[in-house]
Amino acid sequence: MITDPPRVEGFELRALSEADAPDLLALFSDPEVCAFMDIEPLLAEAEALDIIDWAEAQAAQGLGVRWGVRRAGEGRLIGTVGYNRIERGRGRWGEIAYDLARDQWGRGVMSAILPAVIARGFEDWGLIRLEAMVTEGNERSCALLRRMGFRQEGVLARRGFWKGQAWDQLVFARLAD
Ligand SMILES: CC(C)(COP(=O)(O)OP(=O)(O)OC[C@H]1O[C@@H](n2cnc3c(N)ncnc32)[C@H](O)[C@@H]1OP(=O)(O)O)[C@@H](O)C(=O)NCCC(=O)NCCS
């Protein structure tokens, strides 16, 4: 199943489900976490449920998956990671995405988790290209991707428009080799 979580020592990954709504609200109500994302900070659990519904619908169609991240043995959701998109028809690529609660930044969490998420795409699903779209200015995300062997391919100028303004999107990719 596409939702089967990768194993990462010290962490528990589990596909997002409706029970995660309060935790997801806590995560995405932080303006710092959402600063470079295409959503306004969440205000209500119903908005978290909309995101979970989207993730579940993507998974049901085999088009994507989002896992909630917890430290092993701890209940608190500290982030999410997964694939916004998996294309196995007219291409073999996936777009990864990730986020962490602000108090988890700078501790190597996503650097520990992403290798298993990347391996899922390349080794288990046979993808030959992984992408990530980063809003210009999101230096932490760029640094993380470079550590993971991604390189910037280009800039999609004014590709995004949210929070009342246009945003350039940086395209990062790593190829299977
Ligand atoms: C993008 C995001 C996940 C990056 O988080 P991060 O903490 O910088 O990345 P990692 O979890 O890999 O941790 C790396 C940091 O931990 C430090 N670190 C500590 N121990 C480490 C270890 N064992 N291994 C690697 N790094 C370690 C690194 O030095 C680095 O910190 P620094 O940049 O201050 O030097 C985070 O900024 C975030 O959630 N942002 C909001 C959501 C978002 O924008 N998502 C991306 C959309 S494209």
Side-chain angles (χ1 to χ4, degrees):
M1 285 234 302
I2 207 171
T3 49
D4 286 346
R7 287 172 191 274
V8 185
E9 202 185 330
F11 297 94
E12 280 172 17
L13 275 63
R14 196 160 66 227
L16 283 183
S17 71
E18 290 193 358
D20 295 317
D23 283 351
L24 201 66
L25 173 61
L27 177 67
F28 288 156
S29 58
D30 182 343
E32 266 199 276
V33 171
C34 300
F36 295 103
M37 293 168 59
D38 59 355
I39 55 169
E40 296 282 355
L42 304 191
L43 298 172
E45 208 170 293
E47 296 169 308
L49 273 171
D50 285 345
I51 294 173
I52 292 166
D53 286 349
W54 168 78
E56 288 187 327
Q58 287 287 93
Q61 298 173 77
L63 292 176
V65 59
R66 197 74 166 217
W67 296 288
V69 176
R70 292 174 174 78
R71 290 184 187 277
E74 292 180 16
R76 179 187 165 215
L77 184 90
I78 60 166
T80 78
V81 64
Y83 284 77
N84 277 349
R85 181 73 197 284
I86 300 162
E87 172 62 54
R88 289 190 284 189
R90 302 177 70 85
R92 288 177 183 266
W93 57 269
E95 181 195 334
I96 61 165
Y98 42 78
D99 45 75
L100 288 172
R102 180 67 187 88
D103 65 340
Q104 303 296 315
W105 297 6
R107 298 168 64 178
V109 173
M110 208 43 79
S111 291
I113 290 171
L114 275 187
V117 172
I118 291 168
R120 178 56 49 91
F122 284 146
E123 291 165 25
D124 298 337
W125 299 335
L127 304 179
I128 58 173
R129 170 188 169 85
L130 296 185
E131 295 178 357
M133 304 287 276
V134 182
T135 302
E136 189 163 35
N138 194 349
E139 299 302 338
R140 277 193 172 274
S141 188
C142 294
L144 170 62
L145 288 167
R146 291 196 175 98
R147 275 198 300 280
M148 294 295 117
F150 285 67
R151 70 175 187 87
Q152 189 183 329
E153 292 185 331
V155 181
L156 299 176
R158 297 186 197 165
R159 178 70 180 281
F161 195 99
W162 61 80
K163 295 173 180 149
Q165 69 172 92
W167 301 86
D168 289 355
Q169 296 277 281
L170 313 183
V171 184
F172 279 82
R174 176 174 153 180
L175 306 181
D177 40 28

